[in-house]
Amino acid sequence: MITSRGYAALSAKAPLAPWTFDRRSLGDRDVKIDIHYSGICHSDIHQAREEWGKAIFPMVPGHEIAGIVSEVGSSVRKFKIGDPIGVGVFVDSCRKCASCNSGDENYCEKNMTATYNDLERDGITPTYGGYANNFVVHEDYAVLIPKNLELSGVAPLLCAGITLYSPMKYWNVNSKSQVAIMGLGGLGHMGLKFAKALGAHVTVLSHSAAKEKDAYRMGADNFLLSTDSEALISFKSTFDLIFNTVSAEHDINIYLNTLKLNGTVVIIGLPGKPFSVNAGILLGARRSMAGSMIGGMKDLQEMIDFCGEKNILSDVEIVEPAYINEAFTRTVASDVRYRFVVDARKF
Ligand code: NAP
Ligand code: ZN
Ligand code: ZN
């Protein structure tokens, strides 16, 4: 076994606290990673607080992992000691179904194995995430990080980055696209950067007036206060695509009207409760409502290589492990610019 030092939630009500635990010894195709940075995703908060239903405790959250390979199993081909690599939201899948065979392991018909708050494929061993000093993963579920990218700004790409990059590819965002990004948080700010890098015209829909300057600095063409209903009316039938990353419950109907004929709202944020949708707004302009969840391993490597070429990184606030609970509170209050990453060498 390999000893890990990290932070865990022992129950949905308890703050996260230091916790030492074991990970498996390296199998032939496994690599050990010394984690340098671990991003704090809003999904970590939803799960640690059981906002998505019953969870597995103790829980070591963290699925935005960037670090350096420190050991390799005897048959590892993809990586060598010293390589910068990353791990995202899942660490295994059935490897046999149509989804797995087409590079959509995130949509595995037998379910992906989540990086934490899940059981390994043996159905018994809990998975523990990246709020820790080290990690063990099968080489097929990790990606090589381009050497020119600084690891702290890379960590959030492993979830926030891929979660916007993958649907932007699927819905073909390009220089003719009118795109709106709802919610300028960890996911939203990556969506803004990717949509601009793909040449789109981008409007940020935010409920935080204080983020306007940052939105323009990151390349937004427009900033619209989502609480300003009059302004929203003036944007009727404007967007081809809305990427909705809002983490809290909200009325989606007022935004649907801003979609053009044949426009699509892609739901990415996952609040605990279902949406109520006015069907008339959808059928009135053949609008669609869709969803998207992270991305497969091929897309993950492609996204990170794209970031290497274009020098795209997340805007991060680097924090110490002892700050994790405060970082959770500030994230829920939409007070993060724009992703917290934990300095994992301090665990
Ligand atoms: P985040 O950093 O907290 O960003 C969420 C943003 O939503 C906030 O910055 C805020 O943006 C907006 N928001 C929050 N509360 C709001 C409210 N009461 N009313 C209106 N807007 C509000 O979270 P994140 O890490 O980006 O994650 C966003 C959501 O996506 C979470 O639900 C997360 O679980 C989910 N997620 C989904 C996937 C997937 O695969 N689909 C992957 C990762 C995460 P403004 O201040 O700009 O309004
Ligand atoms: Zn995430
Ligand atoms: Zn599968």
Side-chain angles (χ1 to χ4, degrees), residues 209-240:
K211 293 182 181 173
E212 179 166 0
K213 240 194 205 150
D214 287 340
Y216 285 121
R217 173 180 55 78
M218 289 186 234
D221 299 288
N222 262 323
F223 179 91
L224 184 53
L225 209 50
S226 53
T227 47
D228 183 346
S229 45
E230 274 181 29
L232 276 171
I233 289 168
S234 73
F235 273 73
K236 188 173 186 299
S237 302
T238 300
F239 304 119
D240 299 296

Tab-separated table of all heavy atoms in Angstrom, residues 209-240:
chain	number	residue	atom	x	y	z
A	209	ALA	N	-22.190	41.793	-10.748
A	209	ALA	CA	-21.740	42.989	-11.473
A	209	ALA	C	-20.232	43.178	-11.333
A	209	ALA	O	-19.557	43.651	-12.261
A	209	ALA	CB	-22.487	44.215	-10.944
A	210	ALA	N	-19.675	42.773	-10.213
A	210	ALA	CA	-18.249	42.985	-9.951
A	210	ALA	C	-17.348	42.200	-10.907
A	210	ALA	O	-16.146	42.457	-10.969
A	210	ALA	CB	-17.937	42.587	-8.512
A	211	LYS	N	-17.924	41.254	-11.652
A	211	LYS	CA	-17.079	40.442	-12.544
A	211	LYS	C	-16.962	41.026	-13.958
A	211	LYS	O	-16.274	40.461	-14.802
A	211	LYS	CB	-17.628	39.004	-12.617
A	211	LYS	CG	-17.500	38.244	-11.293
A	211	LYS	CD	-18.007	36.812	-11.418
A	211	LYS	CE	-17.904	36.085	-10.077
A	211	LYS	NZ	-18.548	34.750	-10.125
A	212	GLU	N	-17.640	42.162	-14.200
A	212	GLU	CA	-17.684	42.706	-15.565
A	212	GLU	C	-16.284	42.973	-16.120
A	212	GLU	O	-15.955	42.549	-17.239
A	212	GLU	CB	-18.521	43.988	-15.582
A	212	GLU	CG	-18.585	44.615	-16.962
A	212	GLU	CD	-19.668	45.690	-17.085
A	212	GLU	OE1	-20.378	45.959	-16.096
A	212	GLU	OE2	-19.789	46.261	-18.185
A	213	LYS	N	-15.453	43.639	-15.332
A	213	LYS	CA	-14.101	43.996	-15.796
A	213	LYS	C	-13.306	42.748	-16.174
A	213	LYS	O	-12.643	42.700	-17.212
A	213	LYS	CB	-13.370	44.736	-14.665
A	213	LYS	CG	-12.956	46.124	-15.046
A	213	LYS	CD	-11.975	46.661	-14.039
A	213	LYS	CE	-12.030	48.172	-14.049
A	213	LYS	NZ	-11.723	48.742	-12.766
A	214	ASP	N	-13.379	41.752	-15.303
A	214	ASP	CA	-12.639	40.506	-15.569
A	214	ASP	C	-13.150	39.832	-16.840
A	214	ASP	O	-12.364	39.284	-17.606
A	214	ASP	CB	-12.794	39.525	-14.403
A	214	ASP	CG	-11.999	39.954	-13.177
A	214	ASP	OD1	-11.064	40.769	-13.330
A	214	ASP	OD2	-12.319	39.479	-12.069
A	215	ALA	N	-14.464	39.865	-17.033
A	215	ALA	CA	-15.025	39.224	-18.228
A	215	ALA	C	-14.423	39.866	-19.481
A	215	ALA	O	-13.975	39.165	-20.398
A	215	ALA	CB	-16.548	39.348	-18.240
A	216	TYR	N	-14.355	41.193	-19.505
A	216	TYR	CA	-13.771	41.872	-20.681
A	216	TYR	C	-12.278	41.582	-20.785
A	216	TYR	O	-11.751	41.361	-21.872
A	216	TYR	CB	-14.054	43.376	-20.635
A	216	TYR	CG	-15.502	43.705	-20.984
A	216	TYR	CD1	-16.331	44.373	-20.087
A	216	TYR	CD2	-16.036	43.330	-22.216
A	216	TYR	CE1	-17.659	44.664	-20.413
A	216	TYR	CE2	-17.360	43.603	-22.547
A	216	TYR	CZ	-18.168	44.275	-21.644
A	216	TYR	OH	-19.467	44.535	-21.970
A	217	ARG	N	-11.591	41.547	-19.639
A	217	ARG	CA	-10.152	41.239	-19.666
A	217	ARG	C	-9.902	39.855	-20.274
A	217	ARG	O	-8.950	39.644	-21.017
A	217	ARG	CB	-9.584	41.309	-18.236
A	217	ARG	CG	-8.132	40.844	-18.138
A	217	ARG	CD	-7.568	40.924	-16.720
A	217	ARG	NE	-8.333	40.231	-15.704
A	217	ARG	CZ	-8.310	38.904	-15.507
A	217	ARG	NH1	-7.565	38.125	-16.271
A	217	ARG	NH2	-9.024	38.361	-14.540
A	218	MET	N	-10.818	38.926	-19.986
A	218	MET	CA	-10.651	37.561	-20.520
A	218	MET	C	-11.167	37.448	-21.954
A	218	MET	O	-11.169	36.367	-22.522
A	218	MET	CB	-11.389	36.556	-19.630
A	218	MET	CG	-10.727	36.334	-18.285
A	218	MET	SD	-11.572	35.015	-17.381
A	218	MET	CE	-11.936	35.814	-15.834
A	219	GLY	N	-11.645	38.543	-22.524
A	219	GLY	CA	-11.980	38.527	-23.956
A	219	GLY	C	-13.443	38.622	-24.298
A	219	GLY	O	-13.802	38.574	-25.478
A	220	ALA	N	-14.341	38.756	-23.299
A	220	ALA	CA	-15.775	38.802	-23.611
A	220	ALA	C	-16.079	39.983	-24.539
A	220	ALA	O	-15.458	41.044	-24.446
A	220	ALA	CB	-16.586	38.934	-22.331
A	221	ASP	N	-17.048	39.779	-25.432
A	221	ASP	CA	-17.502	40.864	-26.305
A	221	ASP	C	-18.623	41.650	-25.642
A	221	ASP	O	-18.848	42.821	-25.973
A	221	ASP	CB	-17.992	40.277	-27.633
A	221	ASP	CG	-16.882	39.534	-28.344
A	221	ASP	OD1	-15.963	40.196	-28.848
A	221	ASP	OD2	-16.896	38.285	-28.361
A	222	ASN	N	-19.342	40.997	-24.731
A	222	ASN	CA	-20.479	41.606	-24.040
A	222	ASN	C	-20.556	41.060	-22.641
A	222	ASN	O	-20.223	39.892	-22.411
A	222	ASN	CB	-21.790	41.177	-24.723
A	222	ASN	CG	-22.285	42.220	-25.686
A	222	ASN	OD1	-22.156	43.413	-25.437
A	222	ASN	ND2	-22.871	41.752	-26.772
A	223	PHE	N	-21.082	41.886	-21.739
A	223	PHE	CA	-21.340	41.408	-20.378
A	223	PHE	C	-22.754	41.825	-20.031
A	223	PHE	O	-23.123	42.994	-20.165
A	223	PHE	CB	-20.354	42.042	-19.396
A	223	PHE	CG	-20.560	41.616	-17.972
A	223	PHE	CD1	-19.894	40.510	-17.462
A	223	PHE	CD2	-21.423	42.317	-17.127
A	223	PHE	CE1	-20.076	40.104	-16.143
A	223	PHE	CE2	-21.604	41.921	-15.807
A	223	PHE	CZ	-20.939	40.819	-15.317
A	224	LEU	N	-23.561	40.866	-19.629
A	224	LEU	CA	-24.963	41.149	-19.368
A	224	LEU	C	-25.299	40.682	-17.961
A	224	LEU	O	-25.037	39.528	-17.608
A	224	LEU	CB	-25.781	40.381	-20.408
A	224	LEU	CG	-27.281	40.532	-20.458
A	224	LEU	CD1	-27.681	41.995	-20.538
A	224	LEU	CD2	-27.807	39.786	-21.686
A	225	LEU	N	-25.841	41.604	-17.156
A	225	LEU	CA	-26.222	41.244	-15.797
A	225	LEU	C	-27.484	40.379	-15.876
A	225	LEU	O	-28.527	40.836	-16.364
A	225	LEU	CB	-26.469	42.535	-15.006
A	225	LEU	CG	-26.215	42.482	-13.509
A	225	LEU	CD1	-24.850	41.884	-13.162
A	225	LEU	CD2	-26.347	43.872	-12.927
A	226	SER	N	-27.374	39.143	-15.376
A	226	SER	CA	-28.493	38.194	-15.584
A	226	SER	C	-29.716	38.569	-14.744
A	226	SER	O	-30.797	38.034	-14.951
A	226	SER	CB	-28.048	36.761	-15.280
A	226	SER	OG	-27.474	36.697	-13.999
A	227	THR	N	-29.541	39.498	-13.804
A	227	THR	CA	-30.690	39.963	-13.000
A	227	THR	C	-31.410	41.125	-13.684
A	227	THR	O	-32.454	41.577	-13.221
A	227	THR	CB	-30.196	40.429	-11.619
A	227	THR	OG1	-29.065	41.281	-11.826
A	227	THR	CG2	-29.796	39.263	-10.739
A	228	ASP	N	-30.872	41.628	-14.794
A	228	ASP	CA	-31.441	42.785	-15.492
A	228	ASP	C	-32.441	42.278	-16.542
A	228	ASP	O	-32.087	42.020	-17.696
A	228	ASP	CB	-30.277	43.566	-16.141
A	228	ASP	CG	-30.747	44.828	-16.839
A	228	ASP	OD1	-31.972	44.973	-17.052
A	228	ASP	OD2	-29.889	45.649	-17.191
A	229	SER	N	-33.709	42.139	-16.136
A	229	SER	CA	-34.667	41.486	-17.035
A	229	SER	C	-34.924	42.301	-18.292
A	229	SER	O	-35.168	41.744	-19.359
A	229	SER	CB	-35.969	41.163	-16.294
A	229	SER	OG	-36.363	42.257	-15.531
A	230	GLU	N	-34.828	43.626	-18.199
A	230	GLU	CA	-35.039	44.448	-19.409
A	230	GLU	C	-33.942	44.201	-20.441
A	230	GLU	O	-34.204	44.071	-21.638
A	230	GLU	CB	-35.096	45.925	-19.047
A	230	GLU	CG	-36.499	46.330	-18.656
A	230	GLU	CD	-36.606	47.805	-18.306
A	230	GLU	OE1	-35.830	48.620	-18.853
A	230	GLU	OE2	-37.467	48.105	-17.471
A	231	ALA	N	-32.709	44.142	-19.948
A	231	ALA	CA	-31.593	43.883	-20.869
A	231	ALA	C	-31.769	42.501	-21.506
A	231	ALA	O	-31.521	42.323	-22.702
A	231	ALA	CB	-30.273	43.963	-20.122
A	232	LEU	N	-32.225	41.546	-20.707
A	232	LEU	CA	-32.429	40.189	-21.245
A	232	LEU	C	-33.454	40.205	-22.371
A	232	LEU	O	-33.289	39.523	-23.387
A	232	LEU	CB	-32.896	39.247	-20.139
A	232	LEU	CG	-31.781	38.639	-19.288
A	232	LEU	CD1	-32.374	37.908	-18.089
A	232	LEU	CD2	-30.921	37.688	-20.106
A	233	ILE	N	-34.506	41.002	-22.198
A	233	ILE	CA	-35.539	41.087	-23.241
A	233	ILE	C	-34.921	41.633	-24.528
A	233	ILE	O	-35.189	41.162	-25.627
A	233	ILE	CB	-36.721	41.953	-22.757
A	233	ILE	CG1	-37.492	41.188	-21.668
A	233	ILE	CG2	-37.660	42.319	-23.909
A	233	ILE	CD1	-38.499	42.015	-20.891
A	234	SER	N	-34.004	42.599	-24.379
A	234	SER	CA	-33.400	43.187	-25.583
A	234	SER	C	-32.461	42.194	-26.283
A	234	SER	O	-32.064	42.411	-27.419
A	234	SER	CB	-32.666	44.486	-25.244
A	234	SER	OG	-31.476	44.194	-24.557
A	235	PHE	N	-32.093	41.119	-25.607
A	235	PHE	CA	-31.238	40.090	-26.224
A	235	PHE	C	-32.061	38.926	-26.786
A	235	PHE	O	-31.522	37.870	-27.074
A	235	PHE	CB	-30.211	39.570	-25.208
A	235	PHE	CG	-28.951	40.390	-25.164
A	235	PHE	CD1	-28.947	41.657	-24.589
A	235	PHE	CD2	-27.761	39.914	-25.710
A	235	PHE	CE1	-27.800	42.419	-24.553
A	235	PHE	CE2	-26.605	40.671	-25.679
A	235	PHE	CZ	-26.622	41.935	-25.102
A	236	LYS	N	-33.367	39.141	-26.956
A	236	LYS	CA	-34.231	38.065	-27.480
A	236	LYS	C	-33.682	37.545	-28.823
A	236	LYS	O	-33.217	38.309	-29.649
A	236	LYS	CB	-35.657	38.620	-27.672
A	236	LYS	CG	-36.677	37.569	-28.028
A	236	LYS	CD	-38.090	38.173	-28.034
A	236	LYS	CE	-39.169	37.136	-28.233
A	236	LYS	NZ	-39.110	36.397	-29.462
A	237	SER	N	-33.688	36.247	-28.993
A	237	SER	CA	-33.274	35.577	-30.247
A	237	SER	C	-31.871	35.985	-30.705
A	237	SER	O	-31.651	36.290	-31.875
A	237	SER	CB	-34.278	35.870	-31.361
A	237	SER	OG	-35.559	35.452	-30.973
A	238	THR	N	-30.920	35.973	-29.800
A	238	THR	CA	-29.548	36.409	-30.112
A	238	THR	C	-28.554	35.252	-30.246
A	238	THR	O	-27.691	35.256	-31.116
A	238	THR	CB	-29.039	37.359	-28.992
A	238	THR	OG1	-29.911	38.485	-28.936
A	238	THR	CG2	-27.617	37.828	-29.253
A	239	PHE	N	-28.673	34.240	-29.386
A	239	PHE	CA	-27.576	33.266	-29.272
A	239	PHE	C	-27.859	31.960	-30.014
A	239	PHE	O	-28.968	31.441	-29.996
A	239	PHE	CB	-27.304	32.947	-27.793
A	239	PHE	CG	-27.017	34.173	-26.978
A	239	PHE	CD1	-27.845	34.522	-25.914
A	239	PHE	CD2	-25.936	34.989	-27.273
A	239	PHE	CE1	-27.596	35.670	-25.169
A	239	PHE	CE2	-25.679	36.137	-26.538
A	239	PHE	CZ	-26.510	36.479	-25.476
A	240	ASP	N	-26.788	31.421	-30.625
A	240	ASP	CA	-26.864	30.065	-31.170
A	240	ASP	C	-26.759	29.051	-30.038
A	240	ASP	O	-27.398	28.006	-30.068
A	240	ASP	CB	-25.692	29.811	-32.146
A	240	ASP	CG	-25.712	30.758	-33.310
A	240	ASP	OD1	-26.677	30.691	-34.089
A	240	ASP	OD2	-24.771	31.572	-33.443
